[in-house]
Amino acid sequence: MQNTKVAIVGLGTVGTGVARLLVEHGDRIARHAGRKLVLEHVAVNDLKKPRDIKLPSGMLSADIKRITSDPEISVVALLVGGLEPARSIMLALLDGGKDVVTANKALLAAHGPELFDRARELGRSIAFEASVAGGIPIIANISQCLSANEIQSIHAILNGTSNYILTQIEAHGTSYADAVRAAQGLGYAEADPTMDVDGSDAAQKLAILAHLAFGARVDWNDIPRQGIDTLDLADLRYAKELGYRIKLLAVAQLADGELELHVSPTLVKLGSPLAEVRGAYNAISVVGDAVGRVFFSGLGAGQMPTASAVVADIIDTVVGRSAITFRTLELWSKHIARVTARDYGRVAGRYYLRFSVADQPSVLAEIAGVLGKQNISIASVIQHEAEEGSQGVVPLMIMTHNTTEGAMGRAIEAIDRLAFMRGPSIRMRVRD
Ligand code: NDP
Ligand code: HSE
C-alpha cells in the first residue's frame, strides 16, 4: 500500500485529537484513504509543554521549516488558533507546496480572500470542514450535497461553548463564571473565550456559511451580533415561563433578494429541535428550495469531534477530492457577490421585551402607546407582583407580533426615557 506523509502544526486540543486518530487508528484511515497516512512531523510553539499523547522521538519540534522544506509531506493540518502567526504559517505552508487543512475560522473569516487566492495561484487547496460546527459535516453538505438547491435560510447554534454555558446554568444552576471555566477545561473555548461568549465566533462561522450557501461576501465584523455575556439570568427563567429557551442563534435568511444576517440570544420555542440542542452540541437547520428543511446536529466543539472533521479533510485532500471542490467552488474569489446583506434596521421578527418599571398606574398604557406609535403590536403581557426587597420595581414582560429591528430600536429608545423606568430595557428576538 502506498504511503503519504502528512504533518500537523499545533498540538493543543484539536491537534492532539488529530494525531491520536492518525497514530492510533492508522488502519481504519488507510482503508478509507486507500493509502497509509504517515504522520511525519508535528510542529508546536513550546517544546517543553507536557503533551497528552506520546509521539515517536524526533517527531515533535518547534521548527516549521522541517515541514515546509520536506518535499515528501504533501498535506498539513494547521491547528493553531487566532490570526498571527496562523496566517503567516498558512502562507508559508502554501508557498512550500503543501495542501492545507484547518479548523481556524477566525483566520478564514479575516483573511479568506488572501489565503484562498494564494492557494489558487499556487495550485494548492485549503479544506476547512472543522472550522464550522466542529464534528458536523456542514461544509461538505452545503457545498456539495445540497448544491442543487437555492438555500433560503440557515438557523443555527454555532458556538459550542455558549450552548454548553447556557445548558449548565439552566439545567444545573451553575454560575456563569464556573460554566465558562468548565468550558475552557473541556477544551471547548477559544484561547480567548471572549470570542465565544460575545457572539464573534458564531459570526465568523456564519460569515463562512453565508459565503458558501448564498454567495455572500460579508465581513464577519459587519454582522450584527450580541453574545450570551450580556444575558441576565432572570430572562432564562422568564423565557421558560413563556414556553421558550434562550439559545445563541446565528441566522442567515433570504428576504426579497437580500440576506438577513445576525447572531443574538434568541427565544426558541420549547420542544422545537433547536431548543433541545444541549451542552456543546451545535445544530444547523437549513431550508433549500428543493430539499425543504434539513437539520444537522452533533458536537460542535471538543477534541475528537473536531479531529473527526480534520482527519476527514486530510483524507479528502490526499485522495484529491478537496482539490476538485476547492477549484469548483471558487471560494472567496473576487467574483461579485450574488446577494447583499440587508440593513439590520429592516430585518423583521418578533420580540421578547422586559422592562424594570416602578409599580404604579398607567405604566403599561404608556409603554403600549410608544410601541403603538411604531406600529408594534403586543401579543402577550406578563407582570409579576413586586417581590420583597424589590423597592417597588417590577419586571414587565411583553411579547410582540412581527416588527422590524429599526421600529423596535426607536420604541426602546423612547421607552427608556420614560420616568417610571428603573433599569435598562431588555429585548431579544423570538423564533417560533
Ligand atoms: P489550542 O490552544 O489548544 O492549541 C493551539 C496549538 O497551537 C498549541 O499546540 C500551540 O503550541 C500551537 N501553536 C501556537 N503558536 C504556534 C507556532 N508559532 N508554531 C507552532 N505551533 C503553534 O487550540 P485548539 O486546539 O483548541 O484550537 C485550534 C484551532 O481549532 C483554533 O483555530 C480553534 O478555533 C479551532 N477549533 C477548535 C475547536 C475546539 O473544540 N477546541 C473546535 C473547532 C475548531 P503549544 O502547545 O506549544 O503552545
Ligand atoms: N470555541 C468554539 C466553540 C470551538 O465553542 O464552538 C468550535 O469552533
Side-chain angles (χ1 to χ4, degrees):
M1 190 179 256
Q2 189 188 331
N3 280 359
T4 299
K5 291 184 180 175
V6 302
I8 301 174
V9 183
L11 194 64
T13 303
V14 183
T16 302
V18 171
R20 193 159 278 153
L21 282 177
L22 291 173
V23 172
E24 296 172 7
H25 298 284
D27 290 349
R28 177 209 300 175
I29 286 158
R31 241 187 351 265
H32 295 150
R35 71 202 71 197
K36 197 165 159 38
L37 300 193
V38 180
L39 181 57
E40 182 71 6
H41 197 80
V42 179
V44 293
N45 183 44
D46 179 0
L47 262 183
K48 293 200 189 88
K49 218 185 236 183
R51 303 289 163 186
D52 291 340
I53 183 167
K54 195 161 165 38
L55 296 172
S57 79
M59 185 181 278
L60 201 67
S61 85
D63 184 7
I64 229 92
K65 288 204 189 75
R66 283 188 52 188
I67 296 174
T68 50
S69 63
D70 184 341
E72 290 190 5
I73 295 174
S74 54
V75 183
V76 182
L78 171 56
L79 301 168
V80 175
L83 301 185
E84 282 296 351
R87 171 184 159 275
S88 305
I89 297 173
M90 169 87 87
L91 290 169
L93 293 171
L94 294 170
D95 290 342
K98 317 299 176 199
D99 290 316
V100 182
V101 170
T102 190
N104 189 334
K105 60 273 161 163
L107 179 65
L108 299 183
H111 296 296
E114 178 194 16
L115 298 170
F116 283 74
D117 277 349
R118 181 73 72 91
R120 266 187 291 271
E121 278 161 30
L122 296 166
R124 305 267 52 98
S125 65
I126 301 171
F128 51 98
E129 182 61 73
S131 66
V132 180
I136 305 175
I138 190 64
I139 302 291
N141 270 285
I142 287 196
S143 53
Q144 296 164 46
C145 315
L146 295 175
S147 57
N149 289 263
E150 175 178 84
I151 304 294
Q152 293 168 332
S153 68
I154 293 177
H155 290 82
I157 293 169
L158 293 176
N159 184 261
T161 300
S162 296
N163 206 53
Y164 173 83
I165 293 169
L166 289 175
T167 306
Q168 287 300 108
I169 293 171
E170 203 202 334
H172 308 291
T174 313
S175 74
Y176 178 81
D178 283 349
V180 173
R181 269 192 293 276
Q184 287 177 293
L186 289 161
Y188 301 151
E190 297 302 304
D192 175 4
T194 313
M195 303 290 280
D196 291 295
V197 295
D198 73 358
S200 298
D201 177 83
Q204 289 166 347
K205 293 164 176 168
L206 187 65
I208 295 173
L209 290 183
H211 188 102
L212 284 174
F214 300 96
R217 298 288 181 267
V218 278
D219 182 333
W220 74 269
N221 273 300
D222 295 336
I223 297 180
R225 65 188 179 280
Q226 193 192 329
I228 63 160
D229 53 346
T230 51
L231 263 187
D232 188 324
L233 300 189
D235 293 306
L236 293 176
R237 283 200 313 274
Y238 296 136
K240 206 162 182 186
E241 204 174 306
L242 289 157
Y244 293 85
R245 181 170 284 135
I246 296 176
K247 292 290 179 191
L248 185 65
L249 216 62
V251 177
Q253 177 160 266
L254 282 181
D256 305 323
E258 293 178 318
L259 190 62
E260 298 183 349
L261 287 165
H262 47 94
V263 173
S264 60
T266 301
L267 274 73
V268 181
K269 195 98 185 143
L270 279 173
S272 68
L274 281 170
E276 301 313 315
V277 176
R278 313 292 272 165
Y281 277 75
N282 281 188
I284 303 138
S285 172
V286 183
V287 176
D289 62 349
V291 73
R293 184 178 300 282
V294 278
F295 190 81
F296 303 88
S297 177
L299 280 165
Q303 183 167 86
M304 296 319 290
T306 312
S308 155
V310 173
V311 173
D313 267 352
I314 295 176
I315 295 173
D316 275 0
T317 304
V318 163
V319 303
R321 279 194 291 267
S322 294
I324 297 170
T325 315
F326 192 74
R327 269 201 310 276
T328 337
L329 286 179
E330 297 204 329
L331 292 161
W332 273 285
S333 69
K334 293 193 182 83
H335 286 192
I336 293 167
R338 271 193 279 127
V339 66
T340 52
R342 170 166 282 204
D343 178 78
Y344 194 38
R346 292 178 52 232
V347 172
R350 288 185 69 202
Y351 284 85
Y352 157 92
L353 309 173
R354 177 167 64 82
F355 303 110
S356 296
V357 296
D359 194 7
Q360 65 185 48
S362 82
V363 164
L364 183 56
E366 282 194 51
I367 289 178
V370 175
L371 292 172
K373 269 197 193 134
Q374 293 298 333
N375 215 15
I376 298 171
S377 169
I378 293 174
S380 66
V381 179
I382 297 182
Q383 187 186 317
H384 288 290
E385 300 228 348
E387 283 176 9
E388 237 181 77
S390 67
Q391 294 167 326
V393 178
V394 288
L396 172 66
M397 277 74 70
I398 293 180
M399 298 288 275
T400 75
H401 287 299
N402 236 23
T403 178
T404 62
E405 177 67 26
M408 186 51 78
R410 289 188 292 277
I412 293 291
E413 216 179 293
I415 290 169
D416 279 344
R417 285 198 299 268
L418 296 172
F420 53 72
M421 291 296 291
R422 294 291 181 268
S425 308
I426 304 293
R427 74 170 186 274
M428 273 184 263
R429 294 184 159 272
V430 177
R431 174 162 174 76
D432 289 300

